[in-house]
Amino acid sequence: MGMGTNNRSSGIDIIGDIHWGVHLCQFYQTKEDLMDILVPYFKAGLEGNEFCLWITSQPPDVEEAKKALRNYSPDIDIYLEKGQIEIITRTHWLPEEGTFDLEGLLNGLVGKLNEALANGYDGLRLSVNNPLLEKENRNDIVYLKEKLDNIIENCQIMALCTYFLDRYSAIEIIDIAVNHRFSLIKREGIWEQIGNPGCRKVEKSAICAVQNAEVESRESYDYLEELVKESTMQLEKAYKRLKESEIDLSEAQKMAHIGSWKWDIVSDELCWSDEMYHIFGCTPGKSGLSHNDVLTQLHPDDREYVDNAVKRALKGDPFSIDHRIISADGEERIVHSHGEVIFDGKNTPIRMKGTLQDITERTKIEDSLILSEERYRSFIQNFTGIAFQQDEDLNLEFVKGNVEEITGYSEEELISKKRWRKIVEKEDLPLFLKKEREIKNARSPHYGKLSYRIRCKDEKIKWVHEVYQKIPGKNGRSDNHQSTITDVTERIKAKENLVKIEDARKKEIHHRIKNNLQVISSLLDLQAEKFSHKKAVTTPEILEAFRESQNRVISMSLIHEELYKGEGTDTLDFSVYLQKLAENLLQTYSLCSKNVQLFLDLEENAFFNMDTAVPLGIIVNELVSNSLKHAFTEKEGDIRIRLCREKLDPEINKSLFSLIISDNGKGISENVALESVESLGLQLVNILVDQVDGEIELKKVEGTKFRITFWVTEDHKPG
């Protein structure tokens, strides 16, 4: 069919172009190594109009393979939907352990090729992972390999077989390498091509040439002799290439910490490779080792286990086991041993050979992973909330925890439909989106927390508390976002109930204080009335003192009345309170204030706490009372009360207020200083102004004007 002339891009830099009929292999130790070769290999096939078939080892590998292709080629989903590439597990194509269906296997491959050609593709590009695992069916494997090679060589197919290096002995690795046109292996971080372009194929060609020459020897013996010489030369070249492959394989064994050994059972002498000496911590080149020498370096607890495995091997049962050794420096190491016995014609064991690999570090990593997995599983099982992981665009990638218990949705529903943003309650969504913008735009690691409401699948509203953090990507990687969600509905309800209880308690306290103050006011009133009947001993000054005390008590009572009517906070609308206080004072001094008019100019929503409201209330009581009693000789005039916010200082979250009480009466004598006044009421005013950290100013023009300035924290305002 002329396969060799149809060059195709392999996608692999160190190989370059290849042609139909090529069968190559790759040895790998990590999934990253595997993807280094397979991803560009298939990408080249897809771009070259080839049908691609990727047969993996296990079901989980299928999704990992798709993810790797997406990272390398964003258009891979187009090829998958188009059907140009299939990624399936080896169980669809290779036999279960102990069974073979050779014809069915090969016919399936040919069927895939015919289907690809019928769909307009140029040919079939194939990869199979670990296709030679069934050791019990070795003869079938060889037969299968020959039939497979024959199909590949004569059809528009190219194949790349991949082998996990740790699963094979040195002998098996050599056997695999010489059965492929190219063999790829990674040394010191660089992929290399092992130079053995089909040793067994050369040998086959030579044998066929000899056979053909033998047939034609009836006509020409000289022609037969020439062909034999040529075949011999080809075999010698093949042997040389085989030795070169063994050298390359030796380097690969060193990288994988694999040593090889042979035991002459008759002489009890062991031969070790250099890597075996390194594993046991010995100096390479030591001769005369015996079976008993090795047993001394086995871990005491594992000697019987290893000895029994060797005994079984001597009866024809190869072993492949993990055990411990004690190296020459006393360090405990973990190794994987493989061995098999060679028998003579009388079925007597004469030699044993095998490999030994140091798997200490790998075992530690595996144990650490198992421990981490156990801890993670324990955490998830005992975690009562939800754990999130999000991509750089804050789309859910990972959700675990009590998802259904909290939201009613399954993990798959939240991820596939990107539903979390959709279940945030609309009133809380702006705050939630603001949080997302902040964390997305943060350039450094960012941490925060937020409480908001969600609407569950059953339409119930729940409160949740989210703790989130941003982990910036390193070395070009994308940012990572993580968060945990906990259901705090009951806690919020309990808190709200406590607030209601506290509000009710405060209102009850204010109510009782107001009632008690009113009782005190009534007692003062009764006492003043009692004194008024004893004219011989009672003076107007005593009655006035009772009245003033009563007014002060009432001013405080009004404050608690307003607090009782409020929303249970410790703040009250001071403007509303001033209006009631002034009206109460006018009523109290009604006999001397019939023609006095009261003018109020009060700031709206001026909310003060008790520490500010009580002293200011008493100050207003004193100053307005003084005006009503002393300012107006003709018992008529104006009293003005003005409360206003002068300015707001955002840095300290405080406002400067001014309280002005003025009248147009006769005024205070110019010789009277506010600091030295003897009036008890004015002395009390000075003391109370200091109590609110305020300042007082007295003007004596066109009557009397008191101006008091003070700062109020805006936090006292409800809401």
Side-chain angles (χ1 to χ4, degrees):
M1 296 179 68
M3 297 296 108
T5 60
N6 192 357
N7 287 341
R8 318 292 297 182
S9 171
S10 69
I12 305 169
D13 293 339
I14 61 173
I15 293 180
D17 290 345
I18 54 179
H19 52 76
W20 297 122
V22 170
H23 191 186
L24 59 154
C25 73
Q26 174 202 7
F27 296 103
Y28 69 94
Q29 285 187 283
T30 66
K31 288 186 178 180
E32 288 76 13
D33 292 345
L34 179 65
M35 297 304 174
D36 277 352
I37 299 299
L38 282 186
V39 171
Y41 170 73
F42 278 119
K43 184 174 184 292
L46 293 171
E47 294 175 350
N49 192 40
E50 299 171 11
F51 177 74
C52 299
L53 180 60
W54 187 347
I55 303 175
T56 66
S57 295
Q58 299 174 352
D61 294 341
V62 173
E63 290 305 317
E64 290 187 17
K66 291 180 181 178
K67 185 176 181 181
L69 284 172
R70 287 190 185 98
N71 292 337
Y72 198 93
S73 175
D75 298 331
I76 187 60
D77 286 326
I78 298 175
Y79 292 113
L80 287 167
E81 292 177 6
K82 181 181 175 184
Q84 188 177 347
I85 181 171
E86 286 187 21
I87 305 174
I88 60 176
T89 60
R90 64 191 303 275
T91 54
H92 287 79
W93 287 85
L94 299 180
E96 298 292 335
E97 185 175 355
T99 63
F100 271 90
D101 180 9
L102 298 178
E103 295 303 325
L105 181 65
L106 298 173
N107 290 338
L109 185 60
V110 173
K112 279 292 181 184
L113 172 62
N114 292 334
E115 183 183 341
L117 295 175
N119 290 330
Y121 297 113
D122 294 349
L124 172 64
R125 183 173 293 228
L126 172 69
S127 176
V128 185
N129 192 28
N130 294 319
L132 303 178
L133 292 178
E134 297 82 356
K135 308 294 194 310
E136 296 84 352
N137 302 290
R138 189 65 186 167
N139 293 331
D140 286 337
I141 296 263
V142 173
Y143 175 64
L144 170 64
K145 186 68 176 58
E146 292 176 354
K147 294 276 287 185
L148 184 62
D149 285 347
N150 186 54
I151 291 175
I152 293 175
E153 288 174 357
N154 294 282
C155 297
Q156 289 168 257
I157 300 177
M158 65 179 68
L160 170 59
C161 295
T162 57
Y163 299 89
F164 184 43
L165 200 58
D166 291 354
R167 293 186 180 179
Y168 300 94
S169 67
I171 302 301
E172 290 170 328
I173 291 173
I174 294 173
D175 187 47
I176 292 169
V178 298
N179 273 280
H180 295 83
R181 183 69 57 87
F182 302 110
S183 298
L184 302 174
I185 193 165
K186 200 172 189 180
R187 291 192 291 184
E188 298 181 357
I190 300 175
W191 284 104
E192 294 185 6
Q193 174 185 335
I194 297 177
N196 61 321
C199 292
R200 288 190 177 176
K201 292 181 176 60
V202 174
E203 184 179 351
K204 285 181 185 178
S205 300
I207 293 172
C208 291
V210 172
Q211 290 174 344
N212 293 334
E214 188 175 24
V215 173
E216 297 175 1
S217 64
R218 298 167 188 168
E219 300 177 2
S220 176
Y221 177 81
D222 291 339
Y223 181 64
L224 172 62
E225 186 177 17
E226 186 67 28
L227 286 177
V228 170
K229 287 181 180 179
E230 182 179 348
S231 298
T232 303
M233 290 176 61
Q234 290 178 345
L235 286 172
E236 289 176 350
K237 290 179 180 178
Y239 178 75
K240 182 178 179 181
R241 288 171 183 145
L242 177 61
K243 297 301 291 182
E244 291 174 352
S245 298
E246 289 178 348
I247 294 173
D248 288 338
L249 183 60
S250 175
E251 292 297 320
Q253 288 178 342
K254 288 181 181 178
M255 292 173 58
H257 300 294
I258 300 175
S260 58
W261 53 270
K262 295 179 181 179
W263 174 31
D264 188 323
I265 298 175
V266 178
S267 64
D268 195 31
E269 183 176 337
L270 277 174
C271 292
W272 280 5
S273 67
D274 286 351
E275 189 60 26
M276 283 285 292
Y277 285 99
H278 292 311
I279 293 173
F280 277 89
C282 302
T283 303
K286 181 181 178 183
S287 60
L289 289 168
S290 69
H291 172 228
N292 290 329
D293 292 331
V294 177
L295 288 177
T296 60
Q297 286 195 265
L298 295 175
H299 192 284
D301 295 339
D302 292 350
R303 287 177 185 174
E304 183 177 356
Y305 171 63
V306 176
D307 200 33
N308 288 336
V310 172
K311 289 177 181 178
R312 289 194 301 271
L314 293 173
K315 296 179 181 180
D317 185 12
F319 64 85
S320 183
I321 60 174
D322 295 343
H323 60 88
R324 293 166 294 175
I325 64 171
I326 305 297
S327 63
D329 59 3
E331 183 181 2
E332 181 181 306
R333 311 291 294 174
I334 303 173
V335 296
H336 176 76
S337 294
H338 171 81
E340 57 186 23
V341 174
I342 299 172
F343 298 86
D344 62 12
K346 298 179 181 180
N347 204 29
T348 301
I350 57 174
R351 287 191 303 277
M352 181 180 284
K353 62 180 180 178
T355 59
L356 184 138
Q357 182 181 17
D358 187 344
I359 59 171
T360 306
E361 298 306 320
R362 187 182 75 187
T363 302
K364 289 180 180 178
I365 293 173
E366 290 174 350
D367 291 344
S368 178
L369 288 174
I370 291 172
L371 180 60
S372 297
E373 185 177 352
E374 289 175 350
R375 288 174 176 171
Y376 165 77
R377 188 180 296 109
S378 174
F379 171 76
I380 291 298
Q381 289 174 349
N382 294 289
F383 180 52
T384 58
I386 304 174
F388 283 165
Q389 190 165 11
Q390 299 160 296
D391 63 17
E392 58 183 342
D393 295 321
L394 298 175
N395 295 315
L396 293 179
E397 291 184 325
F398 172 89
V399 181
K400 287 292 179 184
N402 288 349
V403 181
E404 290 198 41
E405 291 84 346
I406 294 176
T407 68
Y409 295 100
S410 66
E411 297 172 2
E412 292 74 16
E413 285 178 304
L414 287 180
I415 293 176
S416 63
K417 298 182 180 180
K418 302 178 181 178
R419 188 177 292 276
W420 190 260
R421 284 191 200 97
K422 298 178 182 178
I423 70 174
V424 176
E425 189 66 5
K426 290 183 179 180
E427 294 179 3
D428 296 341
L429 189 57
L431 184 63
F432 179 84
L433 295 177
K434 179 183 178 183
K435 177 268 297 185
E436 284 199 337
R437 289 193 298 271
E438 288 177 355
I439 191 173
K440 190 174 180 180
N441 296 330
R443 296 185 178 180
S444 58
H446 187 74
Y447 170 85
K449 47 191 174 181
L450 180 69
S451 294
Y452 52 90
R453 291 166 294 176
I454 62 171
R455 186 174 292 272
C456 303
K457 195 171 185 178
D458 60 4
E459 294 299 318
K460 288 183 179 179
I461 303 297
K462 288 186 178 180
W463 276 96
V464 295
H465 182 69
E466 179 178 356
V467 178
Y468 54 87
Q469 68 177 122
K470 176 179 183 176
I471 306 173
K474 296 181 179 179
N475 301 323
R477 295 183 179 180
S478 301
D479 296 336
N480 188 297
H481 301 85
Q482 297 175 344
S483 60
T484 57
I485 302 287
T486 51
D487 184 353
V488 295
T489 306
E490 296 304 320
R491 189 169 69 192
I492 294 292
K493 288 182 179 178
K495 186 176 180 180
E496 290 175 348
N497 289 334
L498 286 174
V499 170
K500 291 178 181 178
I501 293 171
E502 180 66 14
D503 290 346
R505 187 184 67 83
K506 288 179 179 179
K507 293 181 71 172
E508 180 63 22
I509 290 173
H510 291 310
H511 182 62
R512 292 187 180 185
I513 292 175
K514 181 205 71 168
N515 289 343
N516 291 337
L517 289 173
Q518 287 179 345
V519 170
I520 294 172
S521 176
S522 298
L523 290 174
L524 290 172
D525 191 40
L526 289 173
Q527 191 66 46
E529 185 178 350
K530 182 178 180 181
F531 281 137
S532 65
H533 294 302
K534 298 180 179 181
K535 297 180 180 179
V537 295
T538 305
T539 64
E541 288 80 6
I542 295 176
L543 292 176
E544 184 63 26
F546 271 95
R547 180 185 288 178
E548 290 176 355
S549 298
Q550 186 180 18
N551 287 339
R552 291 164 188 153
V553 170
I554 290 174
S555 71
M556 291 187 286
S557 174
L558 287 173
I559 288 177
H560 288 283
E561 182 178 3
E562 289 301 310
L563 289 172
Y564 171 70
K565 292 178 181 179
E567 299 179 355
T569 64
D570 288 330
T571 62
L572 77 157
D573 191 333
F574 194 69
S575 296
V576 175
Y577 162 73
L578 279 183
Q579 188 167 357
K580 289 186 178 182
L581 177 62
E583 291 173 354
N584 184 74
L585 288 171
L586 281 178
Q587 185 177 0
T588 301
Y589 293 97
S590 58
L591 293 177
C592 59
S593 61
K594 288 183 178 180
N595 297 320
V596 175
Q597 296 188 55
L598 179 65
F599 296 93
L600 300 176
D601 181 10
L602 305 176
E603 181 86 20
E604 292 185 359
N605 296 320
F607 288 89
F608 299 165
N609 64 11
M610 286 187 62
D611 292 340
T612 303
V614 171
L616 289 177
I618 298 175
I619 289 173
V620 172
N621 177 81
E622 298 300 324
L623 296 180
V624 172
S625 296
N626 279 345
S627 293
L628 290 171
K629 291 186 295 181
H630 307 297
F632 308 108
T633 56
E634 301 298 329
K635 305 300 181 184
E636 62 179 19
D638 298 338
I639 297 177
R640 299 179 181 273
I641 302 176
R642 183 171 185 267
L643 175 68
C644 66
R645 182 184 281 104
E646 300 288 348
K647 66 178 180 178
L648 172 66
D649 190 337
E651 293 185 2
I652 60 175
N653 196 32
K654 287 186 176 183
S655 292
L656 179 66
F657 280 86
S658 65
L659 175 63
I660 301 172
I661 298 99
S662 61
D663 62 56
N664 59 354
K666 63 181 181 181
I668 298 176
S669 172
E670 290 293 335
N671 298 324
V672 176
L674 188 60
E675 296 81 7
S676 59
V677 69
E678 295 181 357
S679 167
L680 177 62
L682 291 179
Q683 289 179 2
L684 184 59
V685 167
N686 281 326
I687 294 171
L688 294 174
V689 169
D690 290 338
Q691 187 173 325
V692 296
D693 293 328
E695 295 181 0
I696 185 169
E697 178 184 359
L698 171 60
K699 292 186 178 181
K700 305 173 183 178
V701 180
E702 297 180 358
T704 306
K705 182 178 181 180
F706 291 92
R707 182 174 184 269
I708 302 160
T709 56
F710 54 95
W711 289 91
V712 175
T713 302
E714 286 297 324
D715 288 345
H716 294 308
K717 185 176 180 179

